[in-house]
Amino acid sequence: MKIMKINIGFFFFIILVSCSKSKNHGKITFDKDEIKISITSEYLNSYQVQSSFSNEKSLILIGYNDKRHSLDFFNLGHGEVMKSKKLDYEGPNGIGKIESLYAHSSDSIFVYELGKLHLLNSDLSISQSWDLFQIYGDLNLGIPQCNFYFKLYYESNHKSVYFFMNQMGVSPLEIAKLPLMTSLNLETNEVNVLPIYHSEYFKSVSGQVGFMTYLGFYGKLDNQLIYNYQYESTMNGFHLDEEKLHETLKSKLQVVPSIPQTNDPQAYDQHAIENPHYLSPIPDPWRNLIYSIVWDGPSDANSYKTYLDKSQVLRVFNKDLELIQTVPLPDRTYQINNWFVNENGLYLNKAHPGDTLLKEDNLVFDVYKFQVDS
């Protein structure tokens, strides 16, 4: 496969980078930079479906633009828009709405739409497709999904991708007994059921934990698939070679309080607003760290209390899944789930919908660069 050549086009863009003072939280230190990329109206200031990769020249971000059904490319190193390419809905290269993507390299871009997985070349033509409904059809495992919480990820050593198994129309009591995660070998189409189930806490409250019941997943660290339950504070790993589970100490377990079963959607909203949710962990193989944000209740007890008022706290774990630091984040600053990591650091998208100063002509990230004290 050929390396993708990027045409910058007729636009001129400016990167504004500002460095904050290095902060010391005892066990780890971090610097924070800001990257601001000027964009035109065809681009978005926030991409909930995105993936970052590096080539021999720079760090690249690919974002799915659902308004245009396009993939938009950005050079993070230079702070520039690179290009936007619309996708076809029909025909030999037809792709439906993309719900997750993973850029393995410039000419190996995986995209997931409901029921299908595609591998794209650098020109975004389809190299290969997998019909997931056909592959999983008779296995009675549920619907294989990737989404904002459970990200598409390709593990090259095992030639596999991973799916959250969504059990439609099944009671929480039955869901507690069913596996939540599978792998699909892309060379053999073999489905492997991983021994990952809902937690003991989930079972103890009959699954009444609110609506955040997806697994959180981005990828692996130290040959472990790193995942979490969004209703409790544990960090979990599944060792790919030993096929063993690993988790943080239960003695430090924090959970989302259970909610009585009800048909009132406002009750579920209020429960979600007032209580924490433990968002998807992001492995950082360059620093042997794991990041996860707690989407907590409103920090201002006197506020009106909406989803926009929920606070955020960044948790940092080491490779042994031990919590080593927490960093409170500024209110109404970062869009949840719009974050990723590369060798430069942890990127948090400054596009909170409650930010009254938010502008649509810039794509902005704060880049947190952590360093473990020796």
Side-chain angles (χ1 to χ4, degrees):
M1 295 183 181
K2 295 184 289 187
I3 301 299
M4 178 172 55
K5 296 181 179 179
I6 304 301
N7 180 15
I8 299 298
F10 302 103
F11 301 101
F12 295 92
F13 302 93
I14 299 174
I15 178 173
L16 300 177
V17 179
S18 63
C19 295
S20 68
K21 186 178 180 180
S22 179
K23 300 183 181 181
N24 192 326
H25 286 268
K27 296 182 180 180
I28 59 176
T29 59
F30 69 88
D31 293 316
K32 184 177 71 174
D33 296 348
E34 183 184 78
I35 293 180
K36 183 181 292 185
I37 302 174
S38 296
I39 57 176
T40 58
S41 59
E42 64 183 306
Y43 296 93
L44 304 178
N45 65 354
S46 186
Y47 291 85
Q48 288 201 304
V49 179
Q50 36 75 9
S51 182
S52 172
F53 71 97
S54 61
N55 59 24
E56 70 276 10
K57 294 182 179 180
S58 192
L59 301 173
I60 309 299
L61 173 68
I62 305 177
Y64 173 61
N65 189 332
D66 59 342
K67 294 181 179 179
R68 302 180 66 246
H69 193 49
S70 66
L71 288 181
D72 300 344
F73 291 72
F74 303 90
N75 186 315
L76 296 172
H78 297 159
E80 297 174 337
V81 173
M82 300 174 70
K83 70 174 182 179
S84 177
K85 183 174 176 57
K86 283 192 173 184
L87 303 171
D88 296 327
Y89 280 110
E90 306 293 340
N93 290 307
I95 298 172
K97 181 180 179 181
I98 296 175
E99 298 186 12
S100 194
L101 71 89
Y102 177 77
H104 184 62
S105 66
S106 61
D107 56 0
S108 295
I109 302 170
F110 293 90
V111 298
Y112 166 86
E113 62 169 297
L114 183 61
K116 292 183 180 180
L117 176 71
H118 307 285
L119 175 60
L120 308 184
N121 296 311
S122 59
D123 62 358
L124 304 189
S125 62
I126 294 178
S127 170
Q128 191 171 354
S129 293
W130 292 263
D131 187 328
L132 301 177
F133 288 155
Q134 182 178 22
I135 294 172
Y136 280 80
D138 297 328
L139 300 180
N140 198 29
L141 295 171
I143 298 174
Q145 283 192 329
C146 296
N147 51 37
F148 295 151
Y149 310 106
F150 192 102
K151 306 290 186 177
L152 179 61
Y153 176 71
Y154 172 68
E155 207 287 310
S156 58
N157 292 332
H158 293 80
K159 312 297 183 184
S160 295
V161 294
Y162 300 87
F163 296 105
F164 174 80
M165 302 311 300
N166 193 354
Q167 304 289 342
M168 305 295 291
V170 180
S171 72
L173 287 175
E174 289 300 313
I175 287 176
K177 304 174 185 177
L178 300 173
L180 297 176
M181 190 171 178
T182 64
S183 66
L184 172 63
N185 185 297
L186 298 186
E187 291 188 343
T188 65
N189 285 356
E190 179 183 359
V191 174
N192 182 35
V193 178
L194 278 61
I196 297 172
Y197 298 81
H198 274 296
S199 72
E200 292 302 316
Y201 171 68
F202 183 93
K203 298 173 186 177
S204 72
V205 296
S206 301
Q208 300 303 317
V209 295
F211 65 80
M212 297 285 277
T213 57
Y214 285 102
L215 284 182
F217 174 72
Y218 266 78
K220 74 172 185 178
L221 178 68
D222 201 23
N223 212 34
Q224 287 193 105
L225 301 178
I226 304 299
Y227 67 96
N228 79 329
Y229 305 104
Q230 309 223 334
Y231 49 78
E232 66 176 54
S233 63
T234 53
M235 189 64 60
N236 303 269
F238 176 74
H239 199 286
L240 287 170
D241 291 333
E242 299 176 5
E243 297 189 352
K244 292 182 179 180
L245 296 174
H246 182 199
E247 65 182 15
T248 51
L249 295 177
K250 287 291 185 181
S251 60
K252 300 179 180 179
L253 177 66
Q254 295 175 307
V255 297
V256 175
S258 62
I259 177 175
Q261 189 170 4
T262 175
N263 293 323
D264 180 9
Q266 291 185 346
Y268 283 99
D269 281 336
Q270 195 63 30
H271 176 266
I273 291 169
E274 294 178 351
N275 292 294
H277 289 92
Y278 302 91
L279 300 179
S280 307
I282 307 175
D284 181 349
W286 296 274
R287 298 163 190 82
N288 278 324
L289 296 173
I290 304 165
Y291 312 114
S292 175
I293 289 180
V294 181
W295 194 33
D296 213 338
S299 56
D300 183 359
N302 298 318
S303 70
Y304 179 66
K305 293 185 179 180
T306 68
Y307 284 107
L308 300 181
D309 298 304
K310 286 177 71 68
S311 60
Q312 298 179 21
V313 177
L314 174 64
R315 301 185 299 165
V316 183
F317 297 77
N318 62 21
K319 66 178 182 178
D320 296 319
L321 311 187
E322 298 169 331
L323 178 64
I324 58 175
Q325 193 59 270
T326 59
V327 181
L329 299 175
D331 289 340
R332 293 184 175 232
T333 301
Y334 303 120
Q335 175 67 287
I336 66 166
N337 292 318
N338 288 22
W339 39 65
F340 58 92
V341 69
N342 58 35
E343 49 261 55
N344 198 36
L346 172 67
Y347 290 67
L348 303 184
N349 183 207
K350 297 179 73 172
H352 193 284
D355 183 357
T356 57
L357 300 179
L358 184 65
K359 296 182 179 180
E360 296 186 355
D361 57 355
N362 290 301
L363 175 63
V364 187
F365 297 96
D366 276 345
V367 186
Y368 286 76
K369 302 180 179 183
F370 286 91
Q371 182 175 355
V372 179
D373 292 341
S374 57

